[in-house]
Amino acid sequence: MVTAVRHLGPNWYAAVMGTAAVATAGAALPGPRVPGLRTVCAAVWALSLLLLLALLAARALHWTHHRDQARAHLLDPAVAPFYGCLSMALLAVGGGALTVGRDWIGDDAALALDVVLFTAGTATGLAAAVAVPYLMAVRHRTMAAQATPVWLLPLVAPMVAAAVGPLLVPHLPPGQARATLLVGCVAMFGLSLLATLLMLPLVFARLITCGPLPLALTPSLFLVLGPLGQSTTAVGAFADAAPGALPAPHGEALGVLAVLYGVPVMGFALLWLGLAGAHVVRARRLGMGFAMTWWAFTFPVGTCVTGAAALARHTGLFVYDGLAVGLYGLVVAAWAVAAVHTARGLFSGALLAAPRPAPVAPRPVTVRTTSGAVR
């Protein structure tokens, strides 16, 4: 077991995030309730909790027995950003405890679990949002041509905290406690949004000027949907929690923000969904096989489901109901495919094996002609 986790990186938390997204997005769907859907969502949430506990234990073994590899991950610009996934996995499972997990474990246990996971997830998310960009600037040696959407991961973690934090507001005493938590969530929304706006142009510029991403990294284009859908979800959650936490003018302003911000951002999310989808189709035609990056098809799209559901609540437009349902179908299909391939690769050992060394390019051969010219 100890040897098996040597190459277990922080990117595995994406599987927890994607599984939790299926549960929380399903519970957030607007419109008439599908019989049995909530029970299925509760079961999927329970699975995400079990996955989180198993992965936390495995990563603890990794850090205890393979610290050299763990340090190498931190110093690798392609791996270090995935430390943001730890925070998002904690927050996703914690938020799911209050939205759907309470059906199985009870309200008190769900609240206690969410408090613990929200606190831990927020702390690790804020730490990752500072530490990973610092390492990228000071220790990593990166160039603009190496920019990928993976760089967004540590910056999105505080946005996830901002989106799930309002669920705890009604459970706090009225007055300062509620207002402080809600304002703190708005602050995390702002810091994550501004940091994303700084990083996203690098990703888009690299895509336009340097061409498509490598085949295995192409699914990571869906990661851009994460801050878009999660920020739309967050402003909707602010508007929901504001009436019991903030004075009337501020609460009304957050209700307006939920629409004025969410509608254009969701429009851009749909544009990016089409662009990313076209790149994935191209990569698949060129032979793109399964990799753990396929989990990028789950959680980011799940945030768009909850974002569309928030817009449905605050605009009353049926088009967002349909959008949420359609996107949820994509999430479920993507999760099923990624889960099957991950389980297969895990049991075969292929996904836990050491990375294969890059093939060595053949040395150039020079040929001298009879005239003495070299070609």
mmCIF file of all heavy atoms in Angstrom, residues 267-313:
data_model
loop_
_atom_site.group_PDB
_atom_site.id
_atom_site.type_symbol
_atom_site.label_atom_id
_atom_site.label_comp_id
_atom_site.label_asym_id
_atom_site.label_seq_id
_atom_site.Cartn_x
_atom_site.Cartn_y
_atom_site.Cartn_z
ATOM 1 N N GLY A 267 -23.489 33.530 -19.883
ATOM 2 C CA GLY A 267 -23.391 33.589 -21.343
ATOM 3 C C GLY A 267 -21.982 33.284 -21.812
ATOM 4 O O GLY A 267 -21.784 32.528 -22.779
ATOM 5 N N PHE A 268 -20.981 33.875 -21.144
ATOM 6 C CA PHE A 268 -19.592 33.582 -21.511
ATOM 7 C C PHE A 268 -19.250 32.126 -21.231
ATOM 8 O O PHE A 268 -18.481 31.502 -21.978
ATOM 9 C CB PHE A 268 -18.647 34.504 -20.744
ATOM 10 C CG PHE A 268 -17.189 34.255 -21.056
ATOM 11 C CD1 PHE A 268 -16.675 34.552 -22.304
ATOM 12 C CD2 PHE A 268 -16.346 33.705 -20.098
ATOM 13 C CE1 PHE A 268 -15.330 34.319 -22.596
ATOM 14 C CE2 PHE A 268 -15.015 33.467 -20.375
ATOM 15 C CZ PHE A 268 -14.503 33.781 -21.633
ATOM 16 N N ALA A 269 -19.803 31.565 -20.148
ATOM 17 C CA ALA A 269 -19.559 30.159 -19.840
ATOM 18 C C ALA A 269 -20.038 29.253 -20.971
ATOM 19 O O ALA A 269 -19.375 28.275 -21.329
ATOM 20 C CB ALA A 269 -20.239 29.781 -18.524
ATOM 21 N N LEU A 270 -21.189 29.584 -21.552
ATOM 22 C CA LEU A 270 -21.699 28.782 -22.666
ATOM 23 C C LEU A 270 -20.805 28.927 -23.892
ATOM 24 O O LEU A 270 -20.591 27.958 -24.642
ATOM 25 C CB LEU A 270 -23.128 29.191 -22.995
ATOM 26 C CG LEU A 270 -24.169 28.875 -21.906
ATOM 27 C CD1 LEU A 270 -25.537 29.398 -22.316
ATOM 28 C CD2 LEU A 270 -24.226 27.376 -21.639
ATOM 29 N N LEU A 271 -20.285 30.134 -24.110
ATOM 30 C CA LEU A 271 -19.332 30.328 -25.205
ATOM 31 C C LEU A 271 -18.101 29.459 -24.996
ATOM 32 O O LEU A 271 -17.644 28.767 -25.921
ATOM 33 C CB LEU A 271 -18.939 31.800 -25.293
ATOM 34 C CG LEU A 271 -17.765 32.129 -26.230
ATOM 35 C CD1 LEU A 271 -18.139 31.851 -27.676
ATOM 36 C CD2 LEU A 271 -17.326 33.586 -26.064
ATOM 37 N N TRP A 272 -17.564 29.477 -23.764
ATOM 38 C CA TRP A 272 -16.362 28.690 -23.505
ATOM 39 C C TRP A 272 -16.661 27.192 -23.565
ATOM 40 O O TRP A 272 -15.811 26.410 -23.989
ATOM 41 C CB TRP A 272 -15.776 29.047 -22.139
ATOM 42 C CG TRP A 272 -14.401 28.478 -21.981
ATOM 43 C CD1 TRP A 272 -14.075 27.255 -21.473
ATOM 44 C CD2 TRP A 272 -13.168 29.082 -22.386
ATOM 45 N NE1 TRP A 272 -12.714 27.051 -21.520
ATOM 46 C CE2 TRP A 272 -12.131 28.156 -22.078
ATOM 47 C CE3 TRP A 272 -12.846 30.308 -22.953
ATOM 48 C CZ2 TRP A 272 -10.796 28.443 -22.336
ATOM 49 C CZ3 TRP A 272 -11.504 30.591 -23.210
ATOM 50 C CH2 TRP A 272 -10.501 29.660 -22.903
ATOM 51 N N LEU A 273 -17.849 26.796 -23.165
ATOM 52 C CA LEU A 273 -18.236 25.389 -23.260
ATOM 53 C C LEU A 273 -18.181 24.921 -24.711
ATOM 54 O O LEU A 273 -17.686 23.826 -24.999
ATOM 55 C CB LEU A 273 -19.636 25.192 -22.685
ATOM 56 C CG LEU A 273 -20.218 23.773 -22.759
ATOM 57 C CD1 LEU A 273 -19.389 22.801 -21.935
ATOM 58 C CD2 LEU A 273 -21.671 23.768 -22.270
ATOM 59 N N GLY A 274 -18.668 25.747 -25.616
ATOM 60 C CA GLY A 274 -18.604 25.389 -27.027
ATOM 61 C C GLY A 274 -17.179 25.320 -27.538
ATOM 62 O O GLY A 274 -16.809 24.400 -28.285
ATOM 63 N N LEU A 275 -16.340 26.299 -27.141
ATOM 64 C CA LEU A 275 -14.947 26.312 -27.578
ATOM 65 C C LEU A 275 -14.194 25.112 -27.034
ATOM 66 O O LEU A 275 -13.483 24.414 -27.780
ATOM 67 C CB LEU A 275 -14.284 27.614 -27.107
ATOM 68 C CG LEU A 275 -12.781 27.749 -27.382
ATOM 69 C CD1 LEU A 275 -12.516 27.781 -28.876
ATOM 70 C CD2 LEU A 275 -12.225 29.001 -26.708
ATOM 71 N N ALA A 276 -14.349 24.853 -25.737
ATOM 72 C CA ALA A 276 -13.660 23.716 -25.133
ATOM 73 C C ALA A 276 -14.155 22.398 -25.721
ATOM 74 O O ALA A 276 -13.364 21.472 -25.963
ATOM 75 C CB ALA A 276 -13.857 23.732 -23.616
ATOM 76 N N GLY A 277 -15.458 22.296 -25.949
ATOM 77 C CA GLY A 277 -16.005 21.084 -26.535
ATOM 78 C C GLY A 277 -15.443 20.812 -27.920
ATOM 79 O O GLY A 277 -15.144 19.664 -28.269
ATOM 80 N N ALA A 278 -15.270 21.858 -28.722
ATOM 81 C CA ALA A 278 -14.699 21.695 -30.063
ATOM 82 C C ALA A 278 -13.261 21.192 -29.981
ATOM 83 O O ALA A 278 -12.838 20.324 -30.765
ATOM 84 C CB ALA A 278 -14.766 23.018 -30.817
ATOM 85 N N HIS A 279 -12.497 21.709 -29.014
ATOM 86 C CA HIS A 279 -11.115 21.244 -28.847
ATOM 87 C C HIS A 279 -11.078 19.782 -28.414
ATOM 88 O O HIS A 279 -10.202 19.022 -28.856
ATOM 89 C CB HIS A 279 -10.404 22.116 -27.807
ATOM 90 C CG HIS A 279 -9.815 23.370 -28.369
ATOM 91 N ND1 HIS A 279 -8.500 23.493 -28.767
ATOM 92 C CD2 HIS A 279 -10.377 24.585 -28.618
ATOM 93 C CE1 HIS A 279 -8.274 24.706 -29.218
ATOM 94 N NE2 HIS A 279 -9.399 25.404 -29.139
ATOM 95 N N VAL A 280 -12.002 19.385 -27.559
ATOM 96 C CA VAL A 280 -12.029 17.997 -27.097
ATOM 97 C C VAL A 280 -12.394 17.055 -28.242
ATOM 98 O O VAL A 280 -11.797 15.978 -28.382
ATOM 99 C CB VAL A 280 -13.020 17.845 -25.928
ATOM 100 C CG1 VAL A 280 -13.287 16.369 -25.620
ATOM 101 C CG2 VAL A 280 -12.478 18.540 -24.685
ATOM 102 N N VAL A 281 -13.354 17.450 -29.069
ATOM 103 C CA VAL A 281 -13.717 16.622 -30.225
ATOM 104 C C VAL A 281 -12.513 16.454 -31.141
ATOM 105 O O VAL A 281 -12.226 15.353 -31.628
ATOM 106 C CB VAL A 281 -14.902 17.260 -30.982
ATOM 107 C CG1 VAL A 281 -15.127 16.553 -32.309
ATOM 108 C CG2 VAL A 281 -16.162 17.200 -30.129
ATOM 109 N N ARG A 282 -11.801 17.538 -31.385
ATOM 110 C CA ARG A 282 -10.591 17.472 -32.221
ATOM 111 C C ARG A 282 -9.554 16.541 -31.602
ATOM 112 O O ARG A 282 -8.970 15.687 -32.290
ATOM 113 C CB ARG A 282 -9.996 18.866 -32.390
ATOM 114 C CG ARG A 282 -8.617 18.881 -33.045
ATOM 115 C CD ARG A 282 -7.962 20.240 -32.970
ATOM 116 N NE ARG A 282 -6.595 20.182 -33.441
ATOM 117 C CZ ARG A 282 -5.556 19.827 -32.685
ATOM 118 N NH1 ARG A 282 -5.746 19.492 -31.412
ATOM 119 N NH2 ARG A 282 -4.336 19.798 -33.195
ATOM 120 N N ALA A 283 -9.325 16.690 -30.292
ATOM 121 C CA ALA A 283 -8.329 15.866 -29.625
ATOM 122 C C ALA A 283 -8.727 14.394 -29.646
ATOM 123 O O ALA A 283 -7.878 13.507 -29.809
ATOM 124 C CB ALA A 283 -8.141 16.344 -28.186
ATOM 125 N N ARG A 284 -10.006 14.135 -29.482
ATOM 126 C CA ARG A 284 -10.473 12.752 -29.504
ATOM 127 C C ARG A 284 -10.252 12.121 -30.877
ATOM 128 O O ARG A 284 -9.848 10.956 -30.976
ATOM 129 C CB ARG A 284 -11.963 12.718 -29.135
ATOM 130 C CG ARG A 284 -12.526 11.335 -28.923
ATOM 131 C CD ARG A 284 -11.882 10.635 -27.758
ATOM 132 N NE ARG A 284 -12.526 9.345 -27.476
ATOM 133 C CZ ARG A 284 -11.995 8.399 -26.741
ATOM 134 N NH1 ARG A 284 -10.790 8.567 -26.204
ATOM 135 N NH2 ARG A 284 -12.646 7.273 -26.521
ATOM 136 N N ARG A 285 -10.484 12.894 -31.910
ATOM 137 C CA ARG A 285 -10.251 12.382 -33.265
ATOM 138 C C ARG A 285 -8.776 12.090 -33.508
ATOM 139 O O ARG A 285 -8.425 11.229 -34.319
ATOM 140 C CB ARG A 285 -10.769 13.387 -34.291
ATOM 141 C CG ARG A 285 -12.293 13.459 -34.362
ATOM 142 C CD ARG A 285 -12.731 14.526 -35.341
ATOM 143 N NE ARG A 285 -14.191 14.544 -35.489
ATOM 144 C CZ ARG A 285 -14.853 15.447 -36.199
ATOM 145 N NH1 ARG A 285 -14.196 16.425 -36.820
ATOM 146 N NH2 ARG A 285 -16.175 15.387 -36.276
ATOM 147 N N LEU A 286 -7.907 12.835 -32.818
ATOM 148 C CA LEU A 286 -6.475 12.640 -32.983
ATOM 149 C C LEU A 286 -5.923 11.554 -32.062
ATOM 150 O O LEU A 286 -4.712 11.336 -32.019
ATOM 151 C CB LEU A 286 -5.740 13.956 -32.728
ATOM 152 C CG LEU A 286 -5.991 15.075 -33.757
ATOM 153 C CD1 LEU A 286 -5.272 16.354 -33.354
ATOM 154 C CD2 LEU A 286 -5.547 14.631 -35.147
ATOM 155 N N GLY A 287 -6.796 10.915 -31.299
ATOM 156 C CA GLY A 287 -6.365 9.782 -30.487
ATOM 157 C C GLY A 287 -6.238 10.055 -29.000
ATOM 158 O O GLY A 287 -5.559 9.294 -28.305
ATOM 159 N N MET A 288 -6.863 11.084 -28.493
ATOM 160 C CA MET A 288 -6.797 11.371 -27.058
ATOM 161 C C MET A 288 -7.398 10.216 -26.262
ATOM 162 O O MET A 288 -8.551 9.856 -26.455
ATOM 163 C CB MET A 288 -7.543 12.669 -26.739
ATOM 164 C CG MET A 288 -7.550 13.023 -25.255
ATOM 165 S SD MET A 288 -8.617 14.443 -24.884
ATOM 166 C CE MET A 288 -10.256 13.689 -25.040
ATOM 167 N N GLY A 289 -6.599 9.649 -25.362
ATOM 168 C CA GLY A 289 -7.067 8.575 -24.508
ATOM 169 C C GLY A 289 -7.432 9.085 -23.128
ATOM 170 O O GLY A 289 -7.306 10.273 -22.824
ATOM 171 N N PHE A 290 -7.864 8.168 -22.273
ATOM 172 C CA PHE A 290 -8.280 8.571 -20.932
ATOM 173 C C PHE A 290 -7.081 8.988 -20.097
ATOM 174 O O PHE A 290 -6.013 8.385 -20.135
ATOM 175 C CB PHE A 290 -9.018 7.445 -20.217
ATOM 176 C CG PHE A 290 -9.339 7.774 -18.788
ATOM 177 C CD1 PHE A 290 -10.367 8.646 -18.488
ATOM 178 C CD2 PHE A 290 -8.573 7.248 -17.750
ATOM 179 C CE1 PHE A 290 -10.656 8.980 -17.172
ATOM 180 C CE2 PHE A 290 -8.859 7.570 -16.433
ATOM 181 C CZ PHE A 290 -9.900 8.436 -16.142
ATOM 182 N N ALA A 291 -7.275 10.049 -19.336
ATOM 183 C CA ALA A 291 -6.329 10.495 -18.320
ATOM 184 C C ALA A 291 -7.148 11.102 -17.187
ATOM 185 O O ALA A 291 -8.346 11.359 -17.340
ATOM 186 C CB ALA A 291 -5.339 11.517 -18.890
ATOM 187 N N MET A 292 -6.516 11.354 -16.060
ATOM 188 C CA MET A 292 -7.242 11.931 -14.930
ATOM 189 C C MET A 292 -7.779 13.323 -15.246
ATOM 190 O O MET A 292 -8.653 13.830 -14.534
ATOM 191 C CB MET A 292 -6.330 11.975 -13.704
ATOM 192 C CG MET A 292 -6.059 10.603 -13.092
ATOM 193 S SD MET A 292 -7.566 9.774 -12.496
ATOM 194 C CE MET A 292 -7.960 10.775 -11.052
ATOM 195 N N THR A 293 -7.270 13.940 -16.304
ATOM 196 C CA THR A 293 -7.803 15.243 -16.719
ATOM 197 C C THR A 293 -9.260 15.148 -17.160
ATOM 198 O O THR A 293 -9.942 16.174 -17.230
ATOM 199 C CB THR A 293 -6.962 15.827 -17.869
ATOM 200 O OG1 THR A 293 -6.827 14.842 -18.907
ATOM 201 C CG2 THR A 293 -5.586 16.244 -17.388
ATOM 202 N N TRP A 294 -9.750 13.942 -17.428
ATOM 203 C CA TRP A 294 -11.154 13.794 -17.833
ATOM 204 C C TRP A 294 -12.104 14.197 -16.709
ATOM 205 O O TRP A 294 -13.277 14.493 -16.973
ATOM 206 C CB TRP A 294 -11.422 12.350 -18.262
ATOM 207 C CG TRP A 294 -10.947 12.033 -19.651
ATOM 208 C CD1 TRP A 294 -9.821 12.517 -20.254
ATOM 209 C CD2 TRP A 294 -11.550 11.154 -20.603
ATOM 210 N NE1 TRP A 294 -9.676 11.990 -21.515
ATOM 211 C CE2 TRP A 294 -10.731 11.148 -21.758
ATOM 212 C CE3 TRP A 294 -12.689 10.358 -20.588
ATOM 213 C CZ2 TRP A 294 -11.032 10.384 -22.884
ATOM 214 C CZ3 TRP A 294 -12.992 9.590 -21.715
ATOM 215 C CH2 TRP A 294 -12.175 9.612 -22.851
ATOM 216 N N TRP A 295 -11.619 14.231 -15.462
ATOM 217 C CA TRP A 295 -12.474 14.690 -14.367
ATOM 218 C C TRP A 295 -12.803 16.168 -14.489
ATOM 219 O O TRP A 295 -13.701 16.670 -13.804
ATOM 220 C CB TRP A 295 -11.824 14.379 -13.018
ATOM 221 C CG TRP A 295 -11.955 12.926 -12.660
ATOM 222 C CD1 TRP A 295 -11.009 11.957 -12.796
ATOM 223 C CD2 TRP A 295 -13.109 12.273 -12.133
ATOM 224 N NE1 TRP A 295 -11.499 10.738 -12.380
ATOM 225 C CE2 TRP A 295 -12.789 10.901 -11.965
ATOM 226 C CE3 TRP A 295 -14.387 12.709 -11.769
ATOM 227 C CZ2 TRP A 295 -13.699 9.979 -11.468
ATOM 228 C CZ3 TRP A 295 -15.303 11.786 -11.271
ATOM 229 C CH2 TRP A 295 -14.954 10.438 -11.116
ATOM 230 N N ALA A 296 -12.084 16.870 -15.359
ATOM 231 C CA ALA A 296 -12.411 18.282 -15.610
ATOM 232 C C ALA A 296 -13.772 18.433 -16.274
ATOM 233 O O ALA A 296 -14.327 19.543 -16.298
ATOM 234 C CB ALA A 296 -11.327 18.928 -16.480
ATOM 235 N N PHE A 297 -14.308 17.359 -16.821
ATOM 236 C CA PHE A 297 -15.640 17.415 -17.430
ATOM 237 C C PHE A 297 -16.758 17.436 -16.381
ATOM 238 O O PHE A 297 -17.919 17.626 -16.737
ATOM 239 C CB PHE A 297 -15.865 16.195 -18.336
ATOM 240 C CG PHE A 297 -14.916 16.098 -19.506
ATOM 241 C CD1 PHE A 297 -14.405 14.869 -19.897
ATOM 242 C CD2 PHE A 297 -14.534 17.224 -20.213
ATOM 243 C CE1 PHE A 297 -13.544 14.757 -20.972
ATOM 244 C CE2 PHE A 297 -13.661 17.123 -21.291
ATOM 245 C CZ PHE A 297 -13.162 15.894 -21.669
ATOM 246 N N THR A 298 -16.432 17.203 -15.113
ATOM 247 C CA THR A 298 -17.476 17.002 -14.101
ATOM 248 C C THR A 298 -17.699 18.243 -13.233
ATOM 249 O O THR A 298 -18.692 18.948 -13.397
ATOM 250 C CB THR A 298 -17.140 15.791 -13.222
ATOM 251 O OG1 THR A 298 -15.851 15.975 -12.616
ATOM 252 C CG2 THR A 298 -17.111 14.520 -14.056
ATOM 253 N N PHE A 299 -16.800 18.515 -12.319
ATOM 254 C CA PHE A 299 -17.027 19.586 -11.348
ATOM 255 C C PHE A 299 -17.248 20.951 -12.000
ATOM 256 O O PHE A 299 -18.197 21.668 -11.615
ATOM 257 C CB PHE A 299 -15.860 19.650 -10.358
ATOM 258 C CG PHE A 299 -16.074 20.636 -9.235
ATOM 259 C CD1 PHE A 299 -16.871 20.305 -8.146
ATOM 260 C CD2 PHE A 299 -15.494 21.890 -9.271
ATOM 261 C CE1 PHE A 299 -17.074 21.210 -7.109
ATOM 262 C CE2 PHE A 299 -15.695 22.801 -8.248
ATOM 263 C CZ PHE A 299 -16.482 22.459 -7.159
ATOM 264 N N PRO A 300 -16.429 21.383 -12.965
ATOM 265 C CA PRO A 300 -16.671 22.697 -13.569
ATOM 266 C C PRO A 300 -18.049 22.818 -14.217
ATOM 267 O O PRO A 300 -18.718 23.852 -14.077
ATOM 268 C CB PRO A 300 -15.545 22.823 -14.606
ATOM 269 C CG PRO A 300 -14.463 21.939 -14.089
ATOM 270 C CD PRO A 300 -15.180 20.779 -13.481
ATOM 271 N N VAL A 301 -18.472 21.781 -14.916
ATOM 272 C CA VAL A 301 -19.805 21.825 -15.523
ATOM 273 C C VAL A 301 -20.872 21.781 -14.428
ATOM 274 O O VAL A 301 -21.931 22.412 -14.549
ATOM 275 C CB VAL A 301 -19.987 20.671 -16.523
ATOM 276 C CG1 VAL A 301 -21.358 20.746 -17.187
ATOM 277 C CG2 VAL A 301 -18.903 20.720 -17.599
ATOM 278 N N GLY A 302 -20.588 21.060 -13.343
ATOM 279 C CA GLY A 302 -21.522 21.039 -12.222
ATOM 280 C C GLY A 302 -21.739 22.411 -11.616
ATOM 281 O O GLY A 302 -22.859 22.754 -11.201
ATOM 282 N N THR A 303 -20.692 23.239 -11.577
ATOM 283 C CA THR A 303 -20.868 24.605 -11.077
ATOM 284 C C THR A 303 -21.763 25.420 -12.002
ATOM 285 O O THR A 303 -22.476 26.321 -11.543
ATOM 286 C CB THR A 303 -19.523 25.320 -10.912
ATOM 287 O OG1 THR A 303 -18.913 25.543 -12.194
ATOM 288 C CG2 THR A 303 -18.564 24.509 -10.038
ATOM 289 N N CYS A 304 -21.721 25.117 -13.287
ATOM 290 C CA CYS A 304 -22.620 25.809 -14.223
ATOM 291 C C CYS A 304 -24.071 25.377 -14.008
ATOM 292 O O CYS A 304 -24.999 26.167 -14.222
ATOM 293 C CB CYS A 304 -22.189 25.545 -15.661
ATOM 294 S SG CYS A 304 -20.595 26.303 -16.104
ATOM 295 N N VAL A 305 -24.261 24.126 -13.587
ATOM 296 C CA VAL A 305 -25.615 23.663 -13.258
ATOM 297 C C VAL A 305 -26.162 24.466 -12.085
ATOM 298 O O VAL A 305 -27.290 24.997 -12.137
ATOM 299 C CB VAL A 305 -25.617 22.158 -12.927
ATOM 300 C CG1 VAL A 305 -27.005 21.723 -12.445
ATOM 301 C CG2 VAL A 305 -25.206 21.341 -14.141
ATOM 302 N N THR A 306 -25.377 24.573 -11.011
ATOM 303 C CA THR A 306 -25.848 25.322 -9.840
ATOM 304 C C THR A 306 -25.960 26.810 -10.156
ATOM 305 O O THR A 306 -26.826 27.502 -9.618
ATOM 306 C CB THR A 306 -24.911 25.100 -8.645
ATOM 307 O OG1 THR A 306 -23.555 25.417 -9.023
ATOM 308 C CG2 THR A 306 -24.973 23.647 -8.184
ATOM 309 N N GLY A 307 -25.095 27.313 -11.048
ATOM 310 C CA GLY A 307 -25.214 28.705 -11.458
ATOM 311 C C GLY A 307 -26.485 28.959 -12.235
ATOM 312 O O GLY A 307 -27.185 29.962 -12.019
ATOM 313 N N ALA A 308 -26.812 28.060 -13.169
ATOM 314 C CA ALA A 308 -28.051 28.202 -13.934
ATOM 315 C C ALA A 308 -29.273 28.064 -13.027
ATOM 316 O O ALA A 308 -30.280 28.766 -13.202
ATOM 317 C CB ALA A 308 -28.100 27.153 -15.046
ATOM 318 N N ALA A 309 -29.186 27.177 -12.034
ATOM 319 C CA ALA A 309 -30.289 27.026 -11.090
ATOM 320 C C ALA A 309 -30.480 28.301 -10.272
ATOM 321 O O ALA A 309 -31.622 28.698 -9.981
ATOM 322 C CB ALA A 309 -30.022 25.833 -10.166
ATOM 323 N N ALA A 310 -29.374 28.957 -9.894
ATOM 324 C CA ALA A 310 -29.474 30.220 -9.160
ATOM 325 C C ALA A 310 -30.134 31.293 -10.017
ATOM 326 O O ALA A 310 -30.978 32.073 -9.536
ATOM 327 C CB ALA A 310 -28.089 30.674 -8.710
ATOM 328 N N LEU A 311 -29.781 31.336 -11.291
ATOM 329 C CA LEU A 311 -30.403 32.313 -12.183
ATOM 330 C C LEU A 311 -31.884 32.001 -12.385
ATOM 331 O O LEU A 311 -32.703 32.917 -12.519
ATOM 332 C CB LEU A 311 -29.671 32.328 -13.528
ATOM 333 C CG LEU A 311 -28.296 33.002 -13.513
ATOM 334 C CD1 LEU A 311 -27.614 32.839 -14.858
ATOM 335 C CD2 LEU A 311 -28.419 34.480 -13.167
ATOM 336 N N ALA A 312 -32.224 30.724 -12.414
ATOM 337 C CA ALA A 312 -33.637 30.357 -12.534
ATOM 338 C C ALA A 312 -34.424 30.865 -11.336
ATOM 339 O O ALA A 312 -35.553 31.356 -11.476
ATOM 340 C CB ALA A 312 -33.770 28.832 -12.669
ATOM 341 N N ARG A 313 -33.827 30.779 -10.132
ATOM 342 C CA ARG A 313 -34.508 31.263 -8.926
ATOM 343 C C ARG A 313 -34.691 32.781 -8.946
ATOM 344 O O ARG A 313 -35.741 33.286 -8.561
ATOM 345 C CB ARG A 313 -33.708 30.893 -7.668
ATOM 346 C CG ARG A 313 -33.681 29.434 -7.336
ATOM 347 C CD ARG A 313 -33.215 29.210 -5.895
ATOM 348 N NE ARG A 313 -31.964 29.893 -5.567
ATOM 349 C CZ ARG A 313 -30.756 29.389 -5.766
ATOM 350 N NH1 ARG A 313 -30.633 28.191 -6.319
ATOM 351 N NH2 ARG A 313 -29.677 30.055 -5.414
#
